[in-house]
Amino acid sequence: MLTVQEYTGEKKVLVALEEELQDFLVQKDSLHFLRRLPKFGELYIEELLEKVQSQNGKCYIAKYQKIPVGMIVGIIQETAENELLGTVYSKYGIVLELMVKEKFRG
C-alpha cells in the first residue's frame, strides 16, 4: 500500500532520495556538467529544508509498505513588491524537488 506523509525529521531518508536523484541526473548528463561529490546530499537537504521553513513550504515522502519511494518538496512564492509595478499580486507554489524511485514510476 502506498502512503504519502508530511516530512517529520527523517533527514537520512531525504538525503538518500536526493542522492539517488542526483546519481540518475549525472548518468543522463551527456555533457558531463553534473556530479555528486561526498556530502552533496547532506548539504543540499540542509539548504532545501531551510528554504522550506523560511518560505512557507512543505515536504512529503511517499512510502510503499513503509519503504521510502519518493518525495516532493515545494514552497509558496508571493509576488515581490517591485514586481507589483507590472503584475497583480499573486501567490503560487513552486516544486523544488520531485523524485520517484525508478521501480515506482509510470
Side-chain angles (χ1 to χ4, degrees):
M1 177 175 180
L2 183 69
T3 60
V4 177
Q5 58 193 63
E6 193 166 349
Y7 169 75
T8 58
E10 305 166 10
K11 198 177 292 187
K12 286 182 182 180
V13 169
L14 291 180
V15 169
L17 290 168
E18 186 61 40
E19 287 180 346
E20 186 173 332
L21 173 60
Q22 185 69 9
D23 289 344
F24 173 79
L25 295 173
V26 167
Q27 184 181 31
K28 297 292 182 185
D29 177 21
S30 61
L31 298 175
H32 306 289
F33 285 132
L34 299 177
R35 61 184 180 180
R36 181 170 72 84
L37 297 176
K39 301 283 186 185
F40 164 81
E42 293 174 32
L43 294 174
Y44 184 83
I45 291 301
E46 280 293 323
E47 288 180 14
L48 187 66
L49 291 175
E50 285 177 20
K51 221 181 254 190
V52 166
Q53 186 174 17
S54 68
Q55 295 187 31
N56 210 14
K58 294 286 184 182
C59 176
Y60 292 92
I61 299 174
K63 294 183 178 182
Y64 180 74
Q65 298 177 349
K66 299 184 181 181
I67 299 169
V69 297
M71 69 173 174
I72 186 166
V73 181
I75 57 171
I76 301 297
Q77 187 74 39
E78 296 186 37
T79 306
E81 270 196 50
N82 62 338
E83 294 173 328
L84 292 175
L85 297 171
T87 62
V88 176
Y89 173 82
S90 61
K91 207 185 252 195
Y92 51 94
I94 298 174
V95 175
L96 299 175
E97 291 296 329
L98 174 63
M99 189 277 190
V100 177
K101 286 184 173 266
E102 189 172 5
K103 180 180 175 182
F104 294 90
R105 295 178 196 155

